[in-house]
Amino acid sequence: MHVIRIAEDYSFAQVLGYLQRSSLECLHAVTEEGRLIKAFDAGGRLLLLEIGAGVEPATLEVRLLAEGRETGPQRQAAVRGELMAVGLQERTDELAAACRCSEGGAANGDAVVSEAGATSGEVVGSEAGAASGDAVVSEAGATSGDAVVSGAGGTSGDVVVSEAGGTSGDAVGSETNATSGDATASAGIDEAVIALVREWLDADVELAPFYELGLADEVLREVVERGRGLRIVGIPDLFEALVWAIMGQQINLTFAYKLKRSFVEAFGRSLEHEGRRYWLFPTPERIAAVEPGELTAMQLSASKTQCMLTTARLMACGELNKAALAAAEPEAAVAALTAIRGIGPWTAHYVSMHCLRHRDAYPAEDAGLHNALRTRLGLPGKLPVSVVRELGERWRPWRAYAVFYLWNIH
């Protein structure tokens, strides 16, 4: 077990409550004991971690449950090579020409959606705000506590797995056997792994300046008082953040979760532990290699399919990458994202909030934000976007946190 220090004003209970409301998410689980279980990809090492509140204040405990490792990086390299050989621009232009991700007339194919009103607490969905969804962590059907890792459908021979603390472990779905089941004896929980946990849970940001601002603001005061300690639980994987937003355009949350679950189980990787399967989102290289028909067969529209494939191929070739976007000025990052057809301002600001960690991201046209502001202001009618933008000006440089609290504290 590894103990890490976090921000003094961090409330794991608030974060856990948020994640319990999003328990339909297929990429994490909340245990009855109040701990989180999630699989991470740490540079080809697939890690299943259990995270809980520490005994000491302002600490988290992180325990490694199982570890797998990629043994087939040549597949990803081959995809990159194929894309570069045929010419990235030619392929992406062809896809973009067919891309019409606007399902309901939103500008540039953007989804004007929000987590407000959805009991899952997740962002992707529709303006209607579905109350529930069916995407749950799937049961693997395993009869033992052995950890298993596989590619989607169990057909890939690209991974090896070991159970943390075990003495031996065979790699299920792999061409080779793990030489040791002791995951801790390998790299274990190193600083790179801890950095992933910190980023996912936004564990280091001190919110005292935001709270000072919020408590002095008549619109934010109540949500800040009730939500104190809550953090923006992120999506560290840029590809996941983008695809999740595209996938959820102009559909209700229940259907969005069903799509995500089907997509992840068809193309993602997974670790099994004690009879339960924990999924990792598919890589852009994996999706860049699929045929459009494989996605449309899952009830993804043709336009969303083309947008997702364009995004996957841009990322697989390195033309679109998180490091460059995170290093750019927030306005430049939004401009770079919206230059991709099918990605509009809402999606760009959502990715900025949850993946790039831009604290001042502000989706001014978001329907859930408008609903929350109408409630706080006691107004019956629709708010003009100009009013929403004007309100946001007084919340700089913490507008992302203002939006997140308004979305989630009811």
Side-chain angles (χ1 to χ4, degrees):
M1 184 177 67
H2 196 100
V3 178
I4 63 175
R5 289 249 163 228
I6 56 178
E8 290 292 332
D9 58 2
Y10 195 100
S11 171
F12 186 72
Q14 287 277 14
V15 170
L16 194 68
Y18 167 78
L19 288 170
Q20 284 174 323
R21 293 192 296 274
S22 64
S23 60
L24 301 172
E25 167 64 69
C26 61
L27 297 176
H28 71 260
V30 180
T31 71
E32 293 182 357
E33 297 76 23
R35 303 178 81 81
L36 301 173
I37 299 180
K38 181 173 174 63
F40 293 85
D41 184 342
R45 294 173 57 217
L46 309 185
L47 307 171
L48 187 63
L49 302 181
E50 180 185 75
I51 306 163
V55 176
E56 297 294 324
T59 62
L60 294 177
E61 296 176 352
V62 182
R63 186 162 70 95
L64 180 61
L65 299 180
E67 176 177 355
R69 60 182 174 82
E70 300 276 6
T71 61
Q74 67 278 3
R75 174 175 297 172
Q76 295 187 3
V79 171
R80 290 194 184 96
E82 177 198 353
L83 292 174
M84 295 304 289
V86 301
L88 173 67
Q89 195 61 51
E90 177 183 339
R91 292 287 292 275
T92 54
D93 283 351
E94 178 184 350
L95 286 165
C99 180
R100 296 292 185 273
C101 278
S102 180
E103 299 293 316
N108 200 25
D110 208 6
V112 185
V113 294
S114 170
E115 54 192 291
T119 58
S120 72
E122 280 299 320
V123 173
V124 179
S126 73
E127 296 185 37
S132 66
D134 296 333
V136 295
V137 178
S138 65
E139 295 298 325
T143 57
S144 70
D146 292 339
V148 181
V149 65
S150 68
T155 59
S156 169
D158 288 342
V159 286
V160 184
V161 70
S162 60
E163 181 84 359
T167 56
S168 66
D170 291 337
V172 176
S174 171
E175 296 172 355
T176 59
N177 291 332
T179 56
S180 169
D182 189 355
T184 311
S186 63
I189 300 177
D190 57 19
E191 288 305 311
V193 175
I194 294 302
L196 285 173
V197 173
R198 289 184 180 280
E199 181 181 7
W200 179 47
L201 297 177
D202 210 12
D204 294 319
V205 62
E206 296 284 355
L207 290 185
F210 169 64
Y211 294 144
E212 181 179 358
L213 181 155
L215 290 172
D217 187 278
E218 61 181 11
V219 176
L220 296 181
R221 185 179 299 114
E222 183 181 357
V223 296
V224 166
E225 288 174 346
R226 294 176 55 197
R228 197 178 189 98
L230 177 65
R231 293 302 194 277
I232 298 176
V233 179
I235 304 178
D237 179 7
L238 176 63
F239 184 61
E240 178 186 349
L242 286 166
V243 168
W244 186 209
I246 295 167
M247 189 178 291
Q249 288 176 355
Q250 301 302 309
I251 59 175
N252 66 57
L253 191 59
T254 301
F255 187 51
Y257 276 125
K258 287 181 178 179
L259 280 178
K260 185 174 185 179
R261 178 181 177 178
S262 298
F263 181 78
V264 169
E265 291 183 355
F267 304 111
R269 299 151 297 167
S270 64
L271 288 163
E272 287 180 23
H273 175 69
E274 296 183 350
R276 195 167 191 173
R277 181 174 292 179
Y278 300 89
W279 290 95
L280 293 98
F281 202 79
T283 64
E285 291 83 3
R286 175 70 180 93
I287 300 307
V290 306
E291 293 298 323
E294 295 180 73
L295 299 181
T296 55
M298 301 167 61
Q299 293 184 284
L300 281 161
S301 67
S303 56
K304 289 181 182 180
T305 293
Q306 299 296 353
C307 288
M308 289 163 59
L309 291 176
T310 298
T311 301
R313 287 162 180 169
L314 285 170
M315 290 196 64
C317 285
E319 292 293 313
L320 179 66
N321 67 84
K322 180 180 176 179
L325 290 173
E329 290 296 319
E331 294 81 3
V334 168
L337 289 172
T338 55
I340 301 169
R341 190 166 192 177
I343 296 177
W346 186 92
T347 299
H349 280 280
Y350 167 67
V351 170
S352 294
M353 287 176 62
H354 286 268
C355 182
L356 305 180
R357 293 299 188 185
H358 291 158
R359 307 296 180 197
D360 206 37
Y362 192 64
E365 297 184 359
D366 178 77
L369 175 60
H370 283 231
N371 291 337
L373 289 175
R374 280 206 316 270
T375 298
R376 295 290 161 194
L377 296 170
L379 299 175
K382 186 175 181 179
L383 286 177
V385 175
S386 59
V387 172
V388 178
R389 290 198 176 101
E390 184 179 346
L391 282 168
E393 287 302 311
R394 69 196 203 195
W395 302 330
R396 287 183 182 273
W398 293 98
R399 292 186 300 175
Y401 260 94
V403 171
F404 191 72
Y405 271 56
L406 287 165
W407 274 344
N408 289 287
I409 306 301
H410 305 296

